[in-house]
Amino acid sequence: TLQEIYDRFMRNGVWHPWRCLTLGASIPTWLGAANQSATDIPDKGRYYHASATNYKDIYVIGGYNRDNVAMSTNYCYSTTGNSWSTKTACPTAFAKGSADSYNGKIYVACGEVSYNPSNKFYLYDPSANTWTAKANLTAALSSGTLSSTYSGLVFIGGNNTSWAAVKTVYSYDP
């Protein structure tokens, strides 16, 4: 079936026009099947990983494996093909990070590196399958949330190097 997703935003108290984000995307046949199951991730599993969607693909990056070892692996799940592929690994092994896509690129805040909050920040370009180190976050934080906005990215909260929760909001203009 035809899928359309719209959004709009308010800036300085003024609503901007609606815009169509997705048009003509259909539900993949495997998802519409009775079992609605996806192919398992290629490794033995992970937790505290970062993930982001980029168009019809889902990226799963880093995280702890079953032995509590931080990983740098980068897997891409194709929702249209119900399959996984291995992509170039993140330059840093991490867990408790966060990721989001913005303008076709994926930004990753590494969260916890060597069991300590980190300020490492990267850009992954899916079309080139390459990583670029970006300016570090202002503070070393773990377990925060990275989210894209209409004009850039924001990193919200998390734990600082004393493992205390913070309520600070940091913005990043790509």
Side-chain angles (χ1 to χ4, degrees):
T1 61
L2 184 64
Q3 300 269 321
E4 294 183 13
I5 299 172
Y6 292 85
D7 83 339
R8 68 190 292 200
F9 67 98
M10 180 187 287
R11 183 176 292 146
N12 297 328
V14 177
W15 280 104
H16 288 251
W18 287 95
R19 64 184 178 142
C20 183
L21 300 176
T22 308
L23 179 64
S26 60
I27 297 173
T29 54
W30 66 267
L31 186 58
N35 62 5
Q36 294 186 348
S37 63
T39 305
D40 288 342
I41 196 163
D43 62 17
K44 295 179 181 179
R46 66 193 54 234
Y47 64 101
Y48 290 139
H49 57 274
S51 62
T53 58
N54 191 42
Y55 304 110
K56 295 180 182 181
D57 295 328
I58 301 169
Y59 290 82
V60 176
I61 307 162
Y64 287 127
N65 66 13
R66 289 196 285 183
D67 298 321
N68 296 322
V69 175
M71 300 181 296
S72 60
T73 53
N74 178 14
Y75 292 116
C76 175
Y77 178 74
S78 167
T79 61
T80 56
N82 189 20
S83 62
W84 290 93
S85 58
T86 302
K87 301 297 182 182
T88 300
C90 180
T92 300
F94 72 93
K96 298 183 182 180
S98 186
D100 205 354
S101 64
Y102 182 79
N103 285 344
K105 309 281 193 274
I106 297 174
Y107 291 83
V108 177
C110 284
E112 197 173 281
V113 175
S114 300
Y115 301 103
N116 290 301
S118 168
N119 62 355
K120 291 186 178 288
F121 194 63
Y122 291 100
L123 173 127
Y124 175 70
D125 182 346
S127 61
N129 194 25
T130 58
W131 289 89
T132 304
K134 302 307 276 181
N136 287 338
L137 295 173
T138 307
L141 296 168
S142 170
S143 304
T145 301
L146 183 66
S147 298
S148 62
T149 66
Y150 199 75
S151 60
L153 297 156
V154 293
F155 189 84
I156 303 170
N159 297 322
N160 62 20
T161 55
S162 299
W163 298 106
V166 297
K167 61 181 182 177
T168 307
V169 175
Y170 300 94
S171 65
Y172 179 79
D173 183 351

